[in-house]
Amino acid sequence: MEDFKKNMYEKAIEGYQFQVSRYNTWMNYYALFVGALLVALYSVWPSESGSGCSCISETTAVSSSENWYVVVIISILGWLVSFCWYGALLGYRKWNTHWINVIKDMESKLTGNQLKIYCKNPKQEGLISTQKITGLFIIGAMVAWNAIFALVVRYLCVCCSTCCCLFWVIFCVGIVVSVLSVIGLHYSTCKLICSQVD
């Protein structure tokens, strides 16, 4: 019986390590994809970059370039990829908690007491969380893609007097959409995006 418990404990640790390896793989995929979109954005950014607010003729020249529409598509895609990246991070956090609980349960059954997986020394509490730093970075990327989108819409605007105001309106609306989307991910129970862990 003890051999069975020990084997189950080792399998739980293997499951946890597999989850960590999958996390690293998926985080790298998303980071590479966002990087590729940034390279694509740089490569298609139109060369004429009139101020957009100083003169109607400059704005018209900029808005006549078809490359701006490609930039709009890339910025929207960049925001969507960043949103999915954040969702993958949240999913990993849930699965990580699940496997840690499984391991603690197995340790309890094996040894009669729970070993602290996260922190063996209480003085080490408060260590910087890589997951939280990654989450902040992803939210920053969402804000940056939103700013690029708002900037491009400003360049496409033909009415000189409202261009600067339009940028801030679109940027603020994008921030509200981003915040609501992130909150939705945190509290979502939709079976389309959520897994059930028993």
Side-chain angles (χ1 to χ4, degrees), residues 4-154:
F4 176 74
K5 288 180 181 177
K6 187 175 180 184
N7 188 37
M8 293 303 293
Y9 175 69
E10 289 171 0
K11 291 289 183 190
I13 290 176
E14 285 175 22
Y16 170 76
Q17 289 171 342
F18 175 76
Q19 180 63 32
V20 169
S21 136
R22 296 304 305 154
Y23 165 75
N24 291 331
T25 300
W26 281 103
M27 292 299 109
N28 287 336
Y29 286 157
Y30 281 114
L32 286 172
F33 196 47
V34 167
L37 288 171
L38 283 172
V39 169
L41 180 73
Y42 180 76
S43 67
V44 300
W45 193 271
S47 59
E48 65 268 35
S49 58
S51 67
C53 283
S54 62
C55 172
I56 290 179
S57 62
E58 285 183 16
T59 306
T60 305
V62 171
S63 65
S64 67
S65 172
E66 290 181 13
N67 283 352
W68 286 114
Y69 296 105
V70 176
V71 172
V72 167
I73 292 168
I74 291 172
S75 64
I76 292 170
L77 187 58
W79 186 90
L80 287 172
V81 168
S82 297
F83 176 73
C84 292
W85 188 6
Y86 192 79
L89 178 74
L90 291 179
Y92 166 73
R93 189 180 305 159
K94 298 274 186 187
W95 280 104
N96 191 35
T97 301
H98 166 75
W99 281 111
I100 291 295
N101 289 334
V102 167
I103 291 171
K104 283 182 177 182
D105 185 52
M106 292 291 167
E107 285 176 346
S108 178
K109 289 177 182 173
L110 267 177
T111 64
N113 62 0
Q114 292 184 5
L115 301 174
K116 291 199 175 210
I117 298 292
Y118 286 117
C119 181
K120 293 181 181 175
N121 183 351
K123 292 181 181 177
Q124 290 179 346
E125 290 181 10
L127 296 174
I128 295 174
S129 168
T130 308
Q131 291 176 15
K132 290 179 182 177
I133 297 292
T134 303
L136 290 173
F137 177 79
I138 295 167
I139 289 171
M142 290 173 73
V143 170
W145 286 115
N146 177 44
I148 291 167
F149 176 77
L151 180 67
V152 172
V153 170
R154 186 190 94 180

